Amino acid sequence: MDVNTQFSNTISNKHRFGLGVIFALVIINLMALQLTIKQQKNDNHLVNIAGQQSMLSQKITLYLTRLAQSSDMQTRRQNLTILEAAITQFEQNHNQLTQTLPLANKQTFSDEIQRLYFEDSPSLNSDIIDFIFWARRTVEFGFDATLDEMPFSTIERLMTKLNSGVDTFEAAANNNLVKLEWVVTVLTIAMIIALIAQLIYVFNPLQRLITTAIAQLSSEKETARKLKEQAEFASEAKTLFMQNMSHELRTPLNGLFGMLELAIEQEGVIAKDTLIRNAKRSGNQLLRIINEILDISAIENREHTVKNSNFSITQIFDECLSPIAIICDQKHIQLEMDISEAIPENLYGAGNKLRQIINNLLNNAVKYTDHGTISFKAHCQLQQENVLLSIEIADTGIGMTKDQQSVIFSDYSPEDLTKHYNRAGLGLNIVSELTTLMDGELKLHSEYGRGSKFTIIVPFALAKAPSEQELEIVNFNNQYDLAHKKVAVVDDLATSRKLILHQLVALNVKAEIFSSGEELLKCDINQFDLFIIDLNMPGMGGEQVAEILKPKLSPLKNQKLILISASEDNLDAFQLKENLFDFHFSKPLQESKFFDTLITALSNDKLDHTPSNFHILVAEDNDINAHVAEQYLKSMGYKVSRVRDGQQAIDLCSDPNNQYDAILMDINMPKVDGYEATKVLREKLRLTIPIIALTANAFEEDIKKSLAIGMNKHLVKPFDKEDLQLVLRSLLAENETTN
């Protein structure tokens, strides 16, 4: 319940009840005071009348005496007038008292007054009546005629009783006043108690609630001010971010268009090929930036998801370490590696996310290290069917302060994006995000000026089902016997040696690995059928090794050389300068193409994986994208047909004369889109052939929707020829086996 609700409830319940009680007590107290004043006024009036009766009785007696003693007629008349007036007043007062007393007695006065006036024998009331009667007879008939009827002792008793009545009235009035004062006092105390209770149980909580509400309002006001500042800054930061993004996007775009324009103008085949490769490299850089922008959006919207699959841990290590090794060599930084042999080669999990984490951490290390060492350590703990992989990446770079460490993994703000975005990736925030998504743990130890050490601990499962590449290798082994072949692998990077060795062993090829060219040249080179040599090695590089090795090769064995390098620039430059090698590959190695090359080099046969009778239908409304897909497929040996929308695809597939083995389906097409077309093909036409989505829709929900509608795979544009080839081989082989 918030403060406003509490405040409202308290006002409507406790506060109103308390105020009502106090209001009622005040009204009652006022009424009691009014009653006291009225009663006191009435009592005083009665006491005054009683006092007047005593004085009037004395006055009547005095003037009766004067009347009896006076002989002067004028004096007698004056006394008689005064006497008559006194008797009349005395009688009126008595009537007023006797009419008031019965009611007053019941409510306020004591029994003593009632007894004095009415119950004594003789009663004061009867004495007063007799006294009035005697006084009037005396005035009428003369003093002598009535003197015997009203003896002096009776008059004296009357006066005594009247004086006693005055005292009794005063005592009763005082008693009434005390009672009323007690009532007023009790009511006043009750009102004070109610006020204190109101203070304790209502006003104090209300004060606390009001204080809390004021504090909350102040906090909300401050929050609103900060939000306003953040919104203003976010607007400015997003403008700066878009300017940076414009620069980041235009740089590879300029390279892409520039290289293509130069390639169009260039006449030499080799030079043209180099320019086109550079254009493709710029395109890959552009694609990487777009993917990182999508990652930013996913992080902001908390929509990051992981996709689990089989992967080679050695391949991931090599793909991450090979380019870093080149940069370390250029910056004269030592790269140290300690990778446990106990780590299983094939694991199941989010391999792509692990690659992204390692890349970001390594890029961060090499970016902020100008001298010293970068170390990469990988170990594991085996837990039945699971593997707890631990990777440690340390550097001797600039390190971080405590304040920097406290915010380094926090969510990206527009300011962070503007300050920290670079081509190497989204930095440490996305590392933290991905590690959490993979149920892993991320640790940081850093000292400013001495370097940083990041440790990630991520759980994976052992790979159970063979991957598409492993199935393809089995197919190779069934077709080609390479057990009598032997390959020399020369690479200073341990992960590269291990990865290539793993691939050769999978092909049943004997292999021997060397960490340098000097080691290779010390042994008998004629025992090998193929040499795989890294270009960038300390000491003797790949070019020097090939120059020494080439003249020593036996012409009878048809020995071949394959050059590999993580630096595409160095590789392209070397291809222009020399023709020492038969094949050239850039790291990371494209596994399917590399296998093809190994088979070609070792068996002297050109592979043909694709039977020419496979017919592929391409549904794509964009002419350029359609042309790319058609040329890819034709270069693989497939027969290709193309339509421009989903309705045309449905019409062609409805014709029994048209038999297709697979469909490449764009999603966003006019008339009928790819989703609706696939639904019709699956539900109405009952087609079981593979349908592969080729689309620019790259989000996870797009992939799920494609698979849910009945598509077999979802390839995101731009796609590699090798990715398309692997998918088609796998799906066509699976469909052929099923049918």
Side-chain angles (χ1 to χ4, degrees), residues 101-102 104-120 168 172 175 179:
L101 275 176
N105 178 63
K106 291 178 184 178
Q107 294 184 351
T108 58
F109 288 105
S110 64
D111 295 338
E112 187 175 353
I113 295 176
Q114 183 76 11
R115 183 174 59 254
L116 178 66
Y117 267 82
F118 300 106
E119 297 177 2
D120 285 350
T168 303
N175 186 47
K179 289 180 180 179

mmCIF file with all atom_site columns, all heavy atoms in Angstrom, residues 101-102 104-120 168 172 175 179:
data_model
loop_
_atom_site.group_PDB
_atom_site.id
_atom_site.type_symbol
_atom_site.label_atom_id
_atom_site.label_alt_id
_atom_site.label_comp_id
_atom_site.label_asym_id
_atom_site.label_entity_id
_atom_site.label_seq_id
_atom_site.pdbx_PDB_ins_code
_atom_site.Cartn_x
_atom_site.Cartn_y
_atom_site.Cartn_z
_atom_site.occupancy
_atom_site.B_iso_or_equiv
_atom_site.pdbx_formal_charge
_atom_site.auth_seq_id
_atom_site.auth_comp_id
_atom_site.auth_asym_id
_atom_site.auth_atom_id
_atom_site.pdbx_PDB_model_num
ATOM 1   N N   . LEU A 1 101 ? -40.684 25.307 43.358 1.00 0.00 ? 101 LEU A N   1
ATOM 2   C CA  . LEU A 1 101 ? -39.999 24.318 44.202 1.00 0.00 ? 101 LEU A CA  1
ATOM 3   C C   . LEU A 1 101 ? -40.274 22.854 43.840 1.00 0.00 ? 101 LEU A C   1
ATOM 4   O O   . LEU A 1 101 ? -39.340 22.046 43.797 1.00 0.00 ? 101 LEU A O   1
ATOM 5   C CB  . LEU A 1 101 ? -40.357 24.571 45.670 1.00 0.00 ? 101 LEU A CB  1
ATOM 6   C CG  . LEU A 1 101 ? -39.486 25.638 46.361 1.00 0.00 ? 101 LEU A CG  1
ATOM 7   C CD1 . LEU A 1 101 ? -39.981 25.895 47.777 1.00 0.00 ? 101 LEU A CD1 1
ATOM 8   C CD2 . LEU A 1 101 ? -38.035 25.194 46.387 1.00 0.00 ? 101 LEU A CD2 1
ATOM 9   N N   . PRO A 1 102 ? -41.556 22.464 43.574 1.00 0.00 ? 102 PRO A N   1
ATOM 10  C CA  . PRO A 1 102 ? -41.757 21.026 43.298 1.00 0.00 ? 102 PRO A CA  1
ATOM 11  C C   . PRO A 1 102 ? -40.948 20.539 42.100 1.00 0.00 ? 102 PRO A C   1
ATOM 12  O O   . PRO A 1 102 ? -40.323 19.487 42.156 1.00 0.00 ? 102 PRO A O   1
ATOM 13  C CB  . PRO A 1 102 ? -43.255 20.947 43.038 1.00 0.00 ? 102 PRO A CB  1
ATOM 14  C CG  . PRO A 1 102 ? -43.831 22.105 43.787 1.00 0.00 ? 102 PRO A CG  1
ATOM 15  C CD  . PRO A 1 102 ? -42.841 23.201 43.675 1.00 0.00 ? 102 PRO A CD  1
ATOM 16  N N   . ALA A 1 104 ? -38.249 22.124 40.740 1.00 0.00 ? 104 ALA A N   1
ATOM 17  C CA  . ALA A 1 104 ? -36.832 22.302 41.037 1.00 0.00 ? 104 ALA A CA  1
ATOM 18  C C   . ALA A 1 104 ? -36.331 21.213 41.951 1.00 0.00 ? 104 ALA A C   1
ATOM 19  O O   . ALA A 1 104 ? -35.229 20.703 41.806 1.00 0.00 ? 104 ALA A O   1
ATOM 20  C CB  . ALA A 1 104 ? -36.610 23.672 41.663 1.00 0.00 ? 104 ALA A CB  1
ATOM 21  N N   . ASN A 1 105 ? -37.190 20.830 42.881 1.00 0.00 ? 105 ASN A N   1
ATOM 22  C CA  . ASN A 1 105 ? -36.768 19.816 43.844 1.00 0.00 ? 105 ASN A CA  1
ATOM 23  C C   . ASN A 1 105 ? -36.484 18.490 43.164 1.00 0.00 ? 105 ASN A C   1
ATOM 24  O O   . ASN A 1 105 ? -35.535 17.798 43.510 1.00 0.00 ? 105 ASN A O   1
ATOM 25  C CB  . ASN A 1 105 ? -37.858 19.657 44.905 1.00 0.00 ? 105 ASN A CB  1
ATOM 26  C CG  . ASN A 1 105 ? -37.505 18.564 45.918 1.00 0.00 ? 105 ASN A CG  1
ATOM 27  O OD1 . ASN A 1 105 ? -36.532 18.690 46.618 1.00 0.00 ? 105 ASN A OD1 1
ATOM 28  N ND2 . ASN A 1 105 ? -38.314 17.507 45.952 1.00 0.00 ? 105 ASN A ND2 1
ATOM 29  N N   . LYS A 1 106 ? -37.315 18.172 42.192 1.00 0.00 ? 106 LYS A N   1
ATOM 30  C CA  . LYS A 1 106 ? -37.140 16.893 41.507 1.00 0.00 ? 106 LYS A CA  1
ATOM 31  C C   . LYS A 1 106 ? -35.840 16.847 40.709 1.00 0.00 ? 106 LYS A C   1
ATOM 32  O O   . LYS A 1 106 ? -35.272 15.793 40.504 1.00 0.00 ? 106 LYS A O   1
ATOM 33  C CB  . LYS A 1 106 ? -38.314 16.634 40.563 1.00 0.00 ? 106 LYS A CB  1
ATOM 34  C CG  . LYS A 1 106 ? -39.615 16.377 41.292 1.00 0.00 ? 106 LYS A CG  1
ATOM 35  C CD  . LYS A 1 106 ? -40.754 16.183 40.325 1.00 0.00 ? 106 LYS A CD  1
ATOM 36  C CE  . LYS A 1 106 ? -42.085 16.010 41.052 1.00 0.00 ? 106 LYS A CE  1
ATOM 37  N NZ  . LYS A 1 106 ? -43.216 15.863 40.109 1.00 0.00 ? 106 LYS A NZ  1
ATOM 38  N N   . GLN A 1 107 ? -35.389 18.031 40.280 1.00 0.00 ? 107 GLN A N   1
ATOM 39  C CA  . GLN A 1 107 ? -34.244 18.020 39.382 1.00 0.00 ? 107 GLN A CA  1
ATOM 40  C C   . GLN A 1 107 ? -32.957 18.439 40.080 1.00 0.00 ? 107 GLN A C   1
ATOM 41  O O   . GLN A 1 107 ? -31.908 17.885 39.806 1.00 0.00 ? 107 GLN A O   1
ATOM 42  C CB  . GLN A 1 107 ? -34.490 18.951 38.188 1.00 0.00 ? 107 GLN A CB  1
ATOM 43  C CG  . GLN A 1 107 ? -35.624 18.455 37.292 1.00 0.00 ? 107 GLN A CG  1
ATOM 44  C CD  . GLN A 1 107 ? -35.766 19.331 36.079 1.00 0.00 ? 107 GLN A CD  1
ATOM 45  O OE1 . GLN A 1 107 ? -35.138 20.366 36.000 1.00 0.00 ? 107 GLN A OE1 1
ATOM 46  N NE2 . GLN A 1 107 ? -36.608 18.913 35.156 1.00 0.00 ? 107 GLN A NE2 1
ATOM 47  N N   . THR A 1 108 ? -33.045 19.470 40.965 1.00 0.00 ? 108 THR A N   1
ATOM 48  C CA  . THR A 1 108 ? -31.795 20.035 41.464 1.00 0.00 ? 108 THR A CA  1
ATOM 49  C C   . THR A 1 108 ? -31.715 20.137 42.985 1.00 0.00 ? 108 THR A C   1
ATOM 50  O O   . THR A 1 108 ? -30.670 19.850 43.550 1.00 0.00 ? 108 THR A O   1
ATOM 51  C CB  . THR A 1 108 ? -31.581 21.428 40.882 1.00 0.00 ? 108 THR A CB  1
ATOM 52  O OG1 . THR A 1 108 ? -32.690 22.272 41.216 1.00 0.00 ? 108 THR A OG1 1
ATOM 53  C CG2 . THR A 1 108 ? -31.438 21.372 39.363 1.00 0.00 ? 108 THR A CG2 1
ATOM 54  N N   . PHE A 1 109 ? -32.825 20.578 43.651 1.00 0.00 ? 109 PHE A N   1
ATOM 55  C CA  . PHE A 1 109 ? -32.720 20.897 45.074 1.00 0.00 ? 109 PHE A CA  1
ATOM 56  C C   . PHE A 1 109 ? -32.861 19.667 45.955 1.00 0.00 ? 109 PHE A C   1
ATOM 57  O O   . PHE A 1 109 ? -33.404 18.639 45.553 1.00 0.00 ? 109 PHE A O   1
ATOM 58  C CB  . PHE A 1 109 ? -33.771 21.949 45.468 1.00 0.00 ? 109 PHE A CB  1
ATOM 59  C CG  . PHE A 1 109 ? -33.449 23.320 44.932 1.00 0.00 ? 109 PHE A CG  1
ATOM 60  C CD1 . PHE A 1 109 ? -34.140 23.842 43.868 1.00 0.00 ? 109 PHE A CD1 1
ATOM 61  C CD2 . PHE A 1 109 ? -32.413 24.065 45.509 1.00 0.00 ? 109 PHE A CD2 1
ATOM 62  C CE1 . PHE A 1 109 ? -33.836 25.104 43.377 1.00 0.00 ? 109 PHE A CE1 1
ATOM 63  C CE2 . PHE A 1 109 ? -32.128 25.317 45.012 1.00 0.00 ? 109 PHE A CE2 1
ATOM 64  C CZ  . PHE A 1 109 ? -32.834 25.844 43.946 1.00 0.00 ? 109 PHE A CZ  1
ATOM 65  N N   . SER A 1 110 ? -32.411 19.867 47.212 1.00 0.00 ? 110 SER A N   1
ATOM 66  C CA  . SER A 1 110 ? -32.395 18.753 48.159 1.00 0.00 ? 110 SER A CA  1
ATOM 67  C C   . SER A 1 110 ? -33.758 18.571 48.817 1.00 0.00 ? 110 SER A C   1
ATOM 68  O O   . SER A 1 110 ? -34.655 19.413 48.706 1.00 0.00 ? 110 SER A O   1
ATOM 69  C CB  . SER A 1 110 ? -31.330 19.020 49.230 1.00 0.00 ? 110 SER A CB  1
ATOM 70  O OG  . SER A 1 110 ? -31.679 20.175 49.989 1.00 0.00 ? 110 SER A OG  1
ATOM 71  N N   . ASP A 1 111 ? -33.882 17.478 49.530 1.00 0.00 ? 111 ASP A N   1
ATOM 72  C CA  . ASP A 1 111 ? -35.138 17.182 50.239 1.00 0.00 ? 111 ASP A CA  1
ATOM 73  C C   . ASP A 1 111 ? -35.354 18.134 51.412 1.00 0.00 ? 111 ASP A C   1
ATOM 74  O O   . ASP A 1 111 ? -36.494 18.298 51.888 1.00 0.00 ? 111 ASP A O   1
ATOM 75  C CB  . ASP A 1 111 ? -35.104 15.748 50.759 1.00 0.00 ? 111 ASP A CB  1
ATOM 76  C CG  . ASP A 1 111 ? -35.075 14.746 49.632 1.00 0.00 ? 111 ASP A CG  1
ATOM 77  O OD1 . ASP A 1 111 ? -35.492 15.122 48.498 1.00 0.00 ? 111 ASP A OD1 1
ATOM 78  O OD2 . ASP A 1 111 ? -34.616 13.602 49.835 1.00 0.00 ? 111 ASP A OD2 1
ATOM 79  N N   . GLU A 1 112 ? -34.309 18.782 51.905 1.00 0.00 ? 112 GLU A N   1
ATOM 80  C CA  . GLU A 1 112 ? -34.418 19.658 53.077 1.00 0.00 ? 112 GLU A CA  1
ATOM 81  C C   . GLU A 1 112 ? -35.323 20.847 52.783 1.00 0.00 ? 112 GLU A C   1
ATOM 82  O O   . GLU A 1 112 ? -36.128 21.257 53.636 1.00 0.00 ? 112 GLU A O   1
ATOM 83  C CB  . GLU A 1 112 ? -33.021 20.135 53.482 1.00 0.00 ? 112 GLU A CB  1
ATOM 84  C CG  . GLU A 1 112 ? -33.026 20.921 54.802 1.00 0.00 ? 112 GLU A CG  1
ATOM 85  C CD  . GLU A 1 112 ? -31.620 21.274 55.237 1.00 0.00 ? 112 GLU A CD  1
ATOM 86  O OE1 . GLU A 1 112 ? -30.659 20.782 54.578 1.00 0.00 ? 112 GLU A OE1 1
ATOM 87  O OE2 . GLU A 1 112 ? -31.482 22.026 56.205 1.00 0.00 ? 112 GLU A OE2 1
ATOM 88  N N   . ILE A 1 113 ? -35.216 21.400 51.576 1.00 0.00 ? 113 ILE A N   1
ATOM 89  C CA  . ILE A 1 113 ? -36.068 22.540 51.199 1.00 0.00 ? 113 ILE A CA  1
ATOM 90  C C   . ILE A 1 113 ? -37.512 22.086 51.094 1.00 0.00 ? 113 ILE A C   1
ATOM 91  O O   . ILE A 1 113 ? -38.451 22.774 51.547 1.00 0.00 ? 113 ILE A O   1
ATOM 92  C CB  . ILE A 1 113 ? -35.584 23.151 49.877 1.00 0.00 ? 113 ILE A CB  1
ATOM 93  C CG1 . ILE A 1 113 ? -34.194 23.751 50.055 1.00 0.00 ? 113 ILE A CG1 1
ATOM 94  C CG2 . ILE A 1 113 ? -36.550 24.204 49.363 1.00 0.00 ? 113 ILE A CG2 1
ATOM 95  C CD1 . ILE A 1 113 ? -33.585 24.284 48.788 1.00 0.00 ? 113 ILE A CD1 1
ATOM 96  N N   . GLN A 1 114 ? -37.724 20.937 50.506 1.00 0.00 ? 114 GLN A N   1
ATOM 97  C CA  . GLN A 1 114 ? -39.075 20.395 50.374 1.00 0.00 ? 114 GLN A CA  1
ATOM 98  C C   . GLN A 1 114 ? -39.697 20.171 51.754 1.00 0.00 ? 114 GLN A C   1
ATOM 99  O O   . GLN A 1 114 ? -40.876 20.479 51.988 1.00 0.00 ? 114 GLN A O   1
ATOM 100 C CB  . GLN A 1 114 ? -39.017 19.076 49.588 1.00 0.00 ? 114 GLN A CB  1
ATOM 101 C CG  . GLN A 1 114 ? -40.365 18.450 49.325 1.00 0.00 ? 114 GLN A CG  1
ATOM 102 C CD  . GLN A 1 114 ? -41.137 19.145 48.210 1.00 0.00 ? 114 GLN A CD  1
ATOM 103 O OE1 . GLN A 1 114 ? -40.560 19.974 47.506 1.00 0.00 ? 114 GLN A OE1 1
ATOM 104 N NE2 . GLN A 1 114 ? -42.415 18.859 48.089 1.00 0.00 ? 114 GLN A NE2 1
ATOM 105 N N   . ARG A 1 115 ? -38.893 19.645 52.640 1.00 0.00 ? 115 ARG A N   1
ATOM 106 C CA  . ARG A 1 115 ? -39.386 19.372 53.991 1.00 0.00 ? 115 ARG A CA  1
ATOM 107 C C   . ARG A 1 115 ? -39.681 20.671 54.731 1.00 0.00 ? 115 ARG A C   1
ATOM 108 O O   . ARG A 1 115 ? -40.689 20.796 55.448 1.00 0.00 ? 115 ARG A O   1
ATOM 109 C CB  . ARG A 1 115 ? -38.344 18.551 54.751 1.00 0.00 ? 115 ARG A CB  1
ATOM 110 C CG  . ARG A 1 115 ? -38.817 18.141 56.165 1.00 0.00 ? 115 ARG A CG  1
ATOM 111 C CD  . ARG A 1 115 ? -37.829 17.210 56.831 1.00 0.00 ? 115 ARG A CD  1
ATOM 112 N NE  . ARG A 1 115 ? -36.504 17.826 56.967 1.00 0.00 ? 115 ARG A NE  1
ATOM 113 C CZ  . ARG A 1 115 ? -35.452 17.518 56.244 1.00 0.00 ? 115 ARG A CZ  1
ATOM 114 N NH1 . ARG A 1 115 ? -35.550 16.583 55.314 1.00 0.00 ? 115 ARG A NH1 1
ATOM 115 N NH2 . ARG A 1 115 ? -34.297 18.142 56.430 1.00 0.00 ? 115 ARG A NH2 1
ATOM 116 N N   . LEU A 1 116 ? -38.818 21.661 54.577 1.00 0.00 ? 116 LEU A N   1
ATOM 117 C CA  . LEU A 1 116 ? -38.986 22.939 55.270 1.00 0.00 ? 116 LEU A CA  1
ATOM 118 C C   . LEU A 1 116 ? -40.265 23.626 54.841 1.00 0.00 ? 116 LEU A C   1
ATOM 119 O O   . LEU A 1 116 ? -40.986 24.179 55.672 1.00 0.00 ? 116 LEU A O   1
ATOM 120 C CB  . LEU A 1 116 ? -37.772 23.830 54.984 1.00 0.00 ? 116 LEU A CB  1
ATOM 121 C CG  . LEU A 1 116 ? -37.803 25.246 55.591 1.00 0.00 ? 116 LEU A CG  1
ATOM 122 C CD1 . LEU A 1 116 ? -37.757 25.169 57.126 1.00 0.00 ? 116 LEU A CD1 1
ATOM 123 C CD2 . LEU A 1 116 ? -36.647 26.087 55.069 1.00 0.00 ? 116 LEU A CD2 1
ATOM 124 N N   . TYR A 1 117 ? -40.561 23.630 53.563 1.00 0.00 ? 117 TYR A N   1
ATOM 125 C CA  . TYR A 1 117 ? -41.693 24.362 53.035 1.00 0.00 ? 117 TYR A CA  1
ATOM 126 C C   . TYR A 1 117 ? -43.001 23.601 53.168 1.00 0.00 ? 117 TYR A C   1
ATOM 127 O O   . TYR A 1 117 ? -44.049 24.220 53.365 1.00 0.00 ? 117 TYR A O   1
ATOM 128 C CB  . TYR A 1 117 ? -41.452 24.726 51.562 1.00 0.00 ? 117 TYR A CB  1
ATOM 129 C CG  . TYR A 1 117 ? -40.839 26.104 51.370 1.00 0.00 ? 117 TYR A CG  1
ATOM 130 C CD1 . TYR A 1 117 ? -39.475 26.295 51.497 1.00 0.00 ? 117 TYR A CD1 1
ATOM 131 C CD2 . TYR A 1 117 ? -41.643 27.213 51.091 1.00 0.00 ? 117 TYR A CD2 1
ATOM 132 C CE1 . TYR A 1 117 ? -38.907 27.531 51.321 1.00 0.00 ? 117 TYR A CE1 1
ATOM 133 C CE2 . TYR A 1 117 ? -41.079 28.457 50.922 1.00 0.00 ? 117 TYR A CE2 1
ATOM 134 C CZ  . TYR A 1 117 ? -39.706 28.630 51.039 1.00 0.00 ? 117 TYR A CZ  1
ATOM 135 O OH  . TYR A 1 117 ? -39.151 29.870 50.878 1.00 0.00 ? 117 TYR A OH  1
ATOM 136 N N   . PHE A 1 118 ? -42.971 22.285 53.048 1.00 0.00 ? 118 PHE A N   1
ATOM 137 C CA  . PHE A 1 118 ? -44.230 21.570 52.922 1.00 0.00 ? 118 PHE A CA  1
ATOM 138 C C   . PHE A 1 118 ? -44.453 20.455 53.953 1.00 0.00 ? 118 PHE A C   1
ATOM 139 O O   . PHE A 1 118 ? -45.574 20.049 54.187 1.00 0.00 ? 118 PHE A O   1
ATOM 140 C CB  . PHE A 1 118 ? -44.348 20.954 51.513 1.00 0.00 ? 118 PHE A CB  1
ATOM 141 C CG  . PHE A 1 118 ? -44.306 21.975 50.421 1.00 0.00 ? 118 PHE A CG  1
ATOM 142 C CD1 . PHE A 1 118 ? -43.186 22.119 49.626 1.00 0.00 ? 118 PHE A CD1 1
ATOM 143 C CD2 . PHE A 1 118 ? -45.396 22.822 50.199 1.00 0.00 ? 118 PHE A CD2 1
ATOM 144 C CE1 . PHE A 1 118 ? -43.149 23.050 48.614 1.00 0.00 ? 118 PHE A CE1 1
ATOM 145 C CE2 . PHE A 1 118 ? -45.353 23.749 49.178 1.00 0.00 ? 118 PHE A CE2 1
ATOM 146 C CZ  . PHE A 1 118 ? -44.223 23.883 48.383 1.00 0.00 ? 118 PHE A CZ  1
ATOM 147 N N   . GLU A 1 119 ? -43.395 19.928 54.510 1.00 0.00 ? 119 GLU A N   1
ATOM 148 C CA  . GLU A 1 119 ? -43.569 18.712 55.295 1.00 0.00 ? 119 GLU A CA  1
ATOM 149 C C   . GLU A 1 119 ? -43.452 18.938 56.805 1.00 0.00 ? 119 GLU A C   1
ATOM 150 O O   . GLU A 1 119 ? -43.918 18.099 57.588 1.00 0.00 ? 119 GLU A O   1
ATOM 151 C CB  . GLU A 1 119 ? -42.528 17.670 54.848 1.00 0.00 ? 119 GLU A CB  1
ATOM 152 C CG  . GLU A 1 119 ? -42.717 17.245 53.393 1.00 0.00 ? 119 GLU A CG  1
ATOM 153 C CD  . GLU A 1 119 ? -41.647 16.267 52.938 1.00 0.00 ? 119 GLU A CD  1
ATOM 154 O OE1 . GLU A 1 119 ? -40.799 15.920 53.777 1.00 0.00 ? 119 GLU A OE1 1
ATOM 155 O OE2 . GLU A 1 119 ? -41.672 15.869 51.762 1.00 0.00 ? 119 GLU A OE2 1
ATOM 156 N N   . ASP A 1 120 ? -42.797 20.021 57.255 1.00 0.00 ? 120 ASP A N   1
ATOM 157 C CA  . ASP A 1 120 ? -42.694 20.269 58.690 1.00 0.00 ? 120 ASP A CA  1
ATOM 158 C C   . ASP A 1 120 ? -44.074 20.647 59.264 1.00 0.00 ? 120 ASP A C   1
ATOM 159 O O   . ASP A 1 120 ? -44.955 21.108 58.535 1.00 0.00 ? 120 ASP A O   1
ATOM 160 C CB  . ASP A 1 120 ? -41.714 21.410 58.956 1.00 0.00 ? 120 ASP A CB  1
ATOM 161 C CG  . ASP A 1 120 ? -40.273 20.958 58.770 1.00 0.00 ? 120 ASP A CG  1
ATOM 162 O OD1 . ASP A 1 120 ? -40.047 19.726 58.622 1.00 0.00 ? 120 ASP A OD1 1
ATOM 163 O OD2 . ASP A 1 120 ? -39.362 21.816 58.715 1.00 0.00 ? 120 ASP A OD2 1
ATOM 164 N N   . THR A 1 168 ? -30.683 27.369 53.381 1.00 0.00 ? 168 THR A N   1
ATOM 165 C CA  . THR A 1 168 ? -30.892 26.088 52.687 1.00 0.00 ? 168 THR A CA  1
ATOM 166 C C   . THR A 1 168 ? -30.830 26.272 51.182 1.00 0.00 ? 168 THR A C   1
ATOM 167 O O   . THR A 1 168 ? -30.252 25.454 50.442 1.00 0.00 ? 168 THR A O   1
ATOM 168 C CB  . THR A 1 168 ? -32.244 25.497 53.076 1.00 0.00 ? 168 THR A CB  1
ATOM 169 O OG1 . THR A 1 168 ? -32.301 25.344 54.507 1.00 0.00 ? 168 THR A OG1 1
ATOM 170 C CG2 . THR A 1 168 ? -32.436 24.135 52.419 1.00 0.00 ? 168 THR A CG2 1
ATOM 171 N N   . ALA A 1 172 ? -28.204 24.519 48.718 1.00 0.00 ? 172 ALA A N   1
ATOM 172 C CA  . ALA A 1 172 ? -28.650 23.718 47.577 1.00 0.00 ? 172 ALA A CA  1
ATOM 173 C C   . ALA A 1 172 ? -28.057 24.243 46.274 1.00 0.00 ? 172 ALA A C   1
ATOM 174 O O   . ALA A 1 172 ? -27.638 23.481 45.385 1.00 0.00 ? 172 ALA A O   1
ATOM 175 C CB  . ALA A 1 172 ? -30.166 23.710 47.509 1.00 0.00 ? 172 ALA A CB  1
ATOM 176 N N   . ASN A 1 175 ? -24.507 23.293 46.163 1.00 0.00 ? 175 ASN A N   1
ATOM 177 C CA  . ASN A 1 175 ? -24.402 21.849 45.860 1.00 0.00 ? 175 ASN A CA  1
ATOM 178 C C   . ASN A 1 175 ? -24.644 21.592 44.370 1.00 0.00 ? 175 ASN A C   1
ATOM 179 O O   . ASN A 1 175 ? -23.933 20.801 43.728 1.00 0.00 ? 175 ASN A O   1
ATOM 180 C CB  . ASN A 1 175 ? -25.401 21.086 46.717 1.00 0.00 ? 175 ASN A CB  1
ATOM 181 C CG  . ASN A 1 175 ? -25.243 19.585 46.552 1.00 0.00 ? 175 ASN A CG  1
ATOM 182 O OD1 . ASN A 1 175 ? -24.136 19.057 46.593 1.00 0.00 ? 175 ASN A OD1 1
ATOM 183 N ND2 . ASN A 1 175 ? -26.362 18.890 46.356 1.00 0.00 ? 175 ASN A ND2 1
ATOM 184 N N   . LYS A 1 179 ? -21.984 20.045 41.602 1.00 0.00 ? 179 LYS A N   1
ATOM 185 C CA  . LYS A 1 179 ? -22.291 18.912 40.713 1.00 0.00 ? 179 LYS A CA  1
ATOM 186 C C   . LYS A 1 179 ? -22.041 19.272 39.248 1.00 0.00 ? 179 LYS A C   1
ATOM 187 O O   . LYS A 1 179 ? -21.430 18.517 38.484 1.00 0.00 ? 179 LYS A O   1
ATOM 188 C CB  . LYS A 1 179 ? -23.741 18.472 40.905 1.00 0.00 ? 179 LYS A CB  1
ATOM 189 C CG  . LYS A 1 179 ? -24.009 17.770 42.222 1.00 0.00 ? 179 LYS A CG  1
ATOM 190 C CD  . LYS A 1 179 ? -25.471 17.366 42.322 1.00 0.00 ? 179 LYS A CD  1
ATOM 191 C CE  . LYS A 1 179 ? -25.765 16.652 43.646 1.00 0.00 ? 179 LYS A CE  1
ATOM 192 N NZ  . LYS A 1 179 ? -27.186 16.269 43.758 1.00 0.00 ? 179 LYS A NZ  1
#
